[in-house]
Amino acid sequence: MKRISLLLTSFALLVAVLLPGIKAEAVVDEKLGVPIVVYGANLSEAELDSVRKSLGVENDTEVEEIYVDGSDLVNYIPDGNRNARMYSSAKITRQEAGKGLVIKIVTEENITQVSADMYGTAMLTAGVEDAIVEVAAPKKVTGHSALVGIYKAYEVSGEKLDTERTDVANDELNLATKFAEDAGIDKDKVAELLTEIKKEIADKNPATREDVEQIVSEQLKKLNIELSETDRQLLIDLMDKIRNLNIDFGKLSDQLSDFGDKLKEKIGEIDPGFWEKVKEFFASIFESVKSWFN
């Protein structure tokens, strides 16, 4: 029994070494300011409490809290519905330039249409960068209004977004969810498709719609994704809009390359050799236990 206890203790120490500091004490970055939490204006008091708990800020005084409503929606999305109901909420923590975007949906069961990667690729189109973004909702919602909240929080932190870009980013998010919901394409695959097409646009700087169409066709084939002709034309229309936006495509290319790499990262792959080390550890346990009976 003592041997078993010793082995279990050793395994716990191994995990502690390989996955250090999962939860660390929060530190306020005095240059970038405190995190900003933006709540959907239609949340009830009970729902607000639920969202605060989900985002881990129910007892946190080192955050700035704001609200987002229909007037904000039409500010960033001119053709949006001013009477739209806003429930999904977000916490945004600015990072140093070059750190990139990290997006996490903390209530995955309640955000039914939008994935973290869909938020990420749309945010890059809109001009949001270098931030940790956490999204939450107290009940099942599509998740679209969180993007408006993220825009507002980002601007409150001192940046200025181009409304033409935020409008197109909203079109991108709508099309992404359409592909996932109606065409049955995996959400991660949709995000990968959008990211790869934008990377090609950033790298090749296409001069015409026909050039964009060629890029779209190549990426659809490369990723083995089949779209109806209607959806294919919608995708070409969207990417042609992105081509014509006032974007620093050199900078966007770097951001998209980084984001594309992050798309491939999943929980458990922080250290690619982690599971191999675990396998080796348990193999050694098996050999040790075997030796007790020889």
Side-chain angles (χ1 to χ4, degrees), residues 20 25 28 30 70 83 94 169 181 193 294:
E25 183 179 353
V28 175
E30 294 178 314
N83 297 316
R94 294 297 307 278
E181 294 290 312
L193 173 66
N294 291 337

Side-chain angles (χ1 to χ4, degrees), residues 124-286:
L124 288 178
T125 296
V128 178
E129 54 191 66
D130 302 320
I132 299 170
V133 179
E134 299 162 81
V135 180
K139 56 187 175 186
K140 291 189 182 300
V141 296
T142 61
H144 288 78
S145 69
L147 195 58
V148 177
I150 291 164
Y151 295 159
K152 185 172 182 177
Y154 194 70
E155 289 204 324
V156 166
S157 71
E159 300 291 336
K160 180 64 180 173
L161 294 173
D162 181 340
T163 54
E164 187 177 6
R165 289 181 64 170
T166 58
D167 194 25
V168 172
N170 183 68
D171 291 343
E172 180 178 336
L173 190 64
N174 287 338
L175 192 60
T177 55
K178 181 182 188 302
F179 288 169
E181 294 290 312
D182 297 344
I185 305 171
D186 179 78
K187 291 179 181 179
D188 290 340
K189 201 73 172 175
V190 172
E192 183 181 10
L193 173 66
L194 296 172
T195 299
E196 292 303 315
I197 292 173
K198 287 190 288 185
K199 282 170 63 177
E200 288 294 296
I201 289 174
D203 292 342
K204 295 181 178 179
N205 190 26
T208 66
R209 177 186 168 86
E210 287 70 27
D211 294 334
V212 172
E213 184 172 1
Q214 178 65 30
I215 290 171
V216 169
S217 297
E218 289 172 356
Q219 292 306 312
L220 286 171
K221 183 177 179 180
K222 176 183 174 182
L223 297 174
N224 196 28
I225 294 174
E226 293 185 8
L227 294 176
S228 69
E229 185 56 30
T230 299
D231 284 346
R232 184 173 172 275
Q233 289 303 318
L234 288 173
L235 181 58
I236 293 168
D237 290 344
L238 171 70
M239 291 303 164
D240 197 44
K241 285 182 183 178
I242 289 174
R243 173 182 73 89
N244 287 301
L245 290 175
N246 182 24
I247 294 178
D248 180 347
F249 280 102
K251 186 177 182 181
L252 181 64
S253 179
D254 292 339
Q255 294 171 19
L256 287 168
S257 295
D258 183 55
F259 187 72
D261 292 338
K262 289 177 181 177
L263 279 176
K264 298 177 178 64
E265 294 178 4
K266 300 295 178 184
I267 296 172
E269 294 179 351
I270 299 171
D271 177 358
F274 171 71
W275 296 114
E276 188 61 35
K277 293 173 185 176
V278 170
K279 185 171 75 172
E280 292 171 1
F281 180 79
F282 275 110
S284 69
I285 289 180
F286 178 74

